[in-house]
């Protein structure tokens, strides 16, 4: 799956080599969050991070934890996403600050919408595809 996603974005980004080496510090990297989530036990997660937030806030923390791990493993400080992900992204910024004292940032972009203002996307229908075999 990551190879397929990489192929789509290679048109727009320069990726680091497969061994992780890079010709420039701005080269993109493709990571799989399964690398850290598959090793994370539920009780360990609650013990480590449960004291930081209410249970309601923790229910949406997979993406927040992803941002924390990307910062720890790769020095990521900026997360980009659609405006519908703003809450998850802010949770990641907050988790990084609380756990590591990290100064993390997020930037959202408005979602593409239909002429009547409804969200366009694969779950809503009318998706715009970047893959050549599904190019819109």
């Amino acid at each position: 799956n990551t190879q397929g996603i990489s192929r789509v974005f290679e048109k727009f980004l320069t990726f680091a080599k497969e061994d992780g080496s890079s010709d420039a510090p701005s080269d993109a990297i493709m990571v799989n969050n399964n690398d850290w989530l598959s090793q994370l036990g539920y009780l360990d997660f609650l013990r480590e991070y449960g004291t930081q937030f209410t249970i309601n806030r923790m229910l949406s923390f997979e993406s927040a934890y992803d941002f924390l791990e990307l910062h720890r493993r790769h020095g990521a400080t900026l997360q980009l996403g659609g405006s519908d992900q703003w809450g998850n992204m802010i949770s990641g910024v907050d988790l990084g600050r609380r756990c590591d004292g990290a100064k993390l940032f997020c930037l959202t972009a408005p979602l593409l919408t239909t002429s009547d203002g409804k969200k366009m996307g694969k779950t809503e229908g009318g998706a715009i595809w970047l893959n050549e075999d599904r190019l819109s």
Side-chain angles (χ1 to χ4, degrees), residues 12-16 21-29:
F12 311 103
L13 301 171
T14 301
F15 281 92
S21 64
S22 174
D23 293 330
S26 60
D27 285 355
I29 57 171

Side-chain angles (χ1 to χ4, degrees), residues 5-94:
I5 294 169
S6 293
R7 277 195 301 274
V8 169
F9 286 103
E10 283 174 345
K11 298 173 185 143
F12 311 103
L13 301 171
T14 301
F15 281 92
K17 297 175 181 76
E18 294 220 10
D19 65 3
S21 64
S22 174
D23 293 330
S26 60
D27 285 355
I29 57 171
M30 179 64 67
V31 297
N32 186 338
N33 64 356
N34 187 57
D35 292 346
W36 53 85
L37 290 178
S38 64
Q39 300 169 14
L40 183 65
Y42 183 71
L43 292 178
D44 293 333
F45 179 83
L46 289 177
R47 184 175 30 259
E48 185 74 23
Y49 305 105
T51 59
Q52 304 296 328
F53 301 97
T54 65
I55 191 69
N56 289 336
R57 295 237 5 241
M58 284 195 325
L59 291 175
S60 66
F61 266 22
E62 182 179 318
S63 61
Y65 185 70
D66 284 347
F67 194 17
L68 177 63
E69 282 297 320
L70 288 168
H71 173 68
R72 287 176 173 171
R73 294 168 183 244
H74 304 287
T77 57
L78 176 65
Q79 184 177 27
L80 307 173
S83 57
D84 62 331
Q85 295 300 311
W86 182 82
N88 291 335
M89 293 166 66
I90 289 296
S91 293
V93 168
D94 199 24

